[in-house]
Amino acid sequence: MKYLQFVYFNCIQIDYKVVDLVSFSSIKEFADDYRSTHANLHILINNAGVFSPNPNITEQNVEATVGINYLGHFYLTHLLVDLLLAVKGRIIVVSSEAYKGRKITLKMLEGESPAIFQPVAEPGFVQYCLSNLCRVLFAKELAFRYPDLLSVSLHPGAIKTGIGRNIRGCFKCIGCCITPCMRSPEQGALTTVHCATADIGEFNGLYFKDSKQEPIKDGLVTKELQEKLWQVSMNVVSAFEKNSSEQ
């Protein structure tokens, strides 16, 4: 793990470090590095996201959109949660309104190789929707399992970033058409900053849009579903940690 640069704003040092969410090994290295110099963590913002990634599979043989957007953040949070608990911190899970585009069923979470994690030839909008619904479920289950923490999910808006650089076909055309209407990265950060700093404890586990709490779409989130997603995600984590200890 290397430091990329140091930036100072009003005497506050900001350290940039490298972590590759495709790789559990990289995530573990990052977390170990952070833990070696910090006794606590006040705010964890799970923000990284991809659309139609290349390559399309993670080192854990998980479809890369779900693997990066959700499972990599799940493992990072797992490794740092005790540092957050030490100060009753916050976990901000950046999702998207795309979570409304697909439904996850219990059947998709069954077996040793759940369908939700299985690679596909050309990941696209379906996988992006599923990954963001996973994030909403994740925040809900975090709030249940760790009531001393504040955990929420949110939609930052349609933002002018490089997330769509691998998009092809009609979605590429649609993206070009709507780009002038998109938010700047600074504008897109507003809801995230609000959730990280505002007094929103009464909304633990809920979903935000435009810096306001918004109801989650009916029929997409249940307690059974969020528990099962947590279980199958921990199965992937446990398999990785077991293999790592045996090497």
Side-chain angles (χ1 to χ4, degrees), residues 109-121:
L109 303 175
E110 294 176 351
E112 294 185 4
S113 180
I116 190 71
F117 294 152
Q118 289 180 6
V120 297

Side-chain angles (χ1 to χ4, degrees), residues 1 59 240:
M1 200 63 57
E59 288 186 2
F240 168 76

Side-chain angles (χ1 to χ4, degrees), residues 85-104:
L85 287 167
V87 289
K88 297 185 177 180
R90 300 188 184 203
I91 302 173
I92 313 302
V93 183
V94 180
S95 182
S96 165
E97 284 285 90
Y99 87 86
K100 300 176 181 179
R102 284 294 185 276
K103 186 174 183 177
I104 296 174

Side-chain angles (χ1 to χ4, degrees), residues 194 202-203 206-216:
H194 173 79
E202 64 184 297
F203 301 116
L206 300 184
Y207 179 79
F208 280 74
K209 177 182 176 183
D210 294 329
S211 299
K212 295 178 292 186
Q213 190 269 324
E214 179 175 280
I216 296 171

